[in-house]
Amino acid sequence: GDLAFCAGGGITRLYQAGLDGDAEYVRRFWRDEYRLNALIHAYPKPYIAIMHGFVMGGGVGIAAHGSHRIVTDSTRLAMPECGIGLVPDVGGSLLLAQAPGHLGECLGLTGHRMQAGDSIHAGFADYYVPAEAVAGLVTALTGDADIETVIAAAASSPPDSALAMHQSAIDAVFGSDDVAVIMAALGADGTVTEHFGRMAAGMAAGSPIALATTLALVRAVREDPTIETALDMEYRFTHRALTATDFIEGIRAAVIDKDHAPRWRFEDVDAVPSDLVESLLAPLD
């Protein structure tokens, strides 16, 4: 189906656990999920993900850390966690930190949906296989032929990446250390807004706490770009998500009531205390 890598059931269950006050379930869920992401990242056997349809959130975690990551014509890949009061997790902060220039900040803060060419440019995928070749690829992969040979035979040159074409403008907008400055620049930059108009709306819809923390998270992981660093720092946030962030309210507005009118703890990102961001990413005991 089109939602193979984006089911949404996980966050619905976490929301209910949050209402029930079951913090340990929530934390155990993320501990188990992040360990799975780390296992995939380091898995010694070929791990092949054909990322058709929507690939978001937890779907990125089970696909984009594999050894052979394939996108197709239907791929729509994003890390939209800020919109539900979360930070990009499942090791996504590592992928964002390693993206060219300041593209990682762009994708993490705006939740921009990438197609095939963009996904490869950003480092979330390796190969593009046209839709009509996917079924044959799957059949060939079940045989005894060399995996690299099979994938190479099915793959084609990826479509052009709009993000790559406007990389310099994206870097100029998202290079600031202040989220409010980034938001203002995004709205004022004609090059970016003309081609990526939804980016500004994506940032405006995000949780101020999540936006401020995401910028700090991506920058911190870039200083030590390992899967362990990324997952450790992400877990520091999610461990505290029920009590100190907008996560529960974000899920209510986007998934449960679907009114898309979240009542964030802070009116805008300027109001988020810097010591709150620091505390959300601080080591746990």
Side-chain angles (χ1 to χ4, degrees):
D2 292 338
L3 299 180
F5 291 95
C6 182
I11 56 174
T12 302
R13 178 64 182 87
L14 292 174
Y15 173 81
Q16 186 57 52
L19 293 186
D20 294 341
D22 191 354
E24 180 50 34
Y25 174 87
V26 174
R27 293 165 178 170
R28 185 172 65 249
F29 175 95
W30 272 311
R31 287 197 299 267
D32 290 344
E33 183 177 25
Y34 295 174
R35 286 172 178 142
L36 174 62
N37 303 142
L39 176 65
I40 294 169
H41 185 274
Y43 206 61
K45 295 181 179 181
Y47 185 102
I48 305 163
I50 301 174
M51 296 188 279
H52 71 285
F54 292 99
V55 185
M56 300 180 184
V60 173
I62 62 170
H65 295 302
S67 59
H68 298 74
R69 306 166 303 170
I70 298 165
V71 286
T72 73
D73 297 301
S74 67
T75 300
R76 299 293 184 271
L77 195 156
M79 297 294 293
E81 284 78 5
C82 286
I84 57 170
L86 199 62
V87 296
D89 66 334
V90 296
S93 63
L94 174 63
L95 298 166
L96 296 173
Q98 294 179 320
H102 292 291
L103 182 55
E105 288 93 327
C106 170
L107 297 172
L109 292 171
T110 68
H112 178 72
R113 295 183 182 184
M114 297 183 285
Q115 299 186 27
D118 289 336
S119 299
I120 292 175
H121 170 68
F124 281 71
D126 309 299
Y127 309 94
Y128 162 69
V129 174
E132 64 272 13
V134 171
L137 171 63
V138 172
T139 299
L141 286 170
T142 64
D144 296 327
D146 176 70
I147 288 174
E148 300 287 351
T149 302
V150 169
I151 294 177
S156 297
S157 297
D160 291 338
S161 166
L163 294 176
M165 287 187 282
H166 299 285
Q167 180 76 55
S168 60
I170 290 171
D171 290 346
V173 169
F174 289 90
S176 173
D177 293 331
D178 187 320
V179 176
V181 171
I182 291 174
M183 294 179 77
L186 180 58
D189 190 293
T191 302
V192 177
T193 53
E194 177 184 356
H195 295 276
F196 307 108
R198 291 185 179 180
M199 283 185 178
M203 279 197 73
S207 153
I209 294 174
L211 291 170
T213 310
T214 292
L215 183 63
L217 171 64
V218 172
R219 298 281 170 84
V221 175
R222 187 174 289 141
E223 293 294 316
D224 183 22
T226 67
I227 191 67
E228 292 82 8
T229 296
L231 293 169
D232 280 351
M233 296 199 72
E234 293 165 7
Y235 182 71
R236 294 173 185 178
F237 183 96
T238 54
H239 180 94
R240 301 170 169 119
L242 293 188
T243 58
T245 78
D246 289 318
F247 176 63
I248 293 298
E249 174 61 12
I251 295 300
R252 182 207 63 76
V255 180
I256 306 302
D257 296 338
K258 298 182 180 180
D259 59 18
H260 302 288
R263 296 180 289 273
W264 303 130
R265 298 186 184 209
F266 296 95
E267 183 176 351
D268 54 48
V269 72
D270 276 336
V272 179
S274 59
D275 58 354
L276 173 59
V277 174
E278 292 173 4
S279 68
L280 289 170
L281 296 178
L284 295 159
D285 60 22

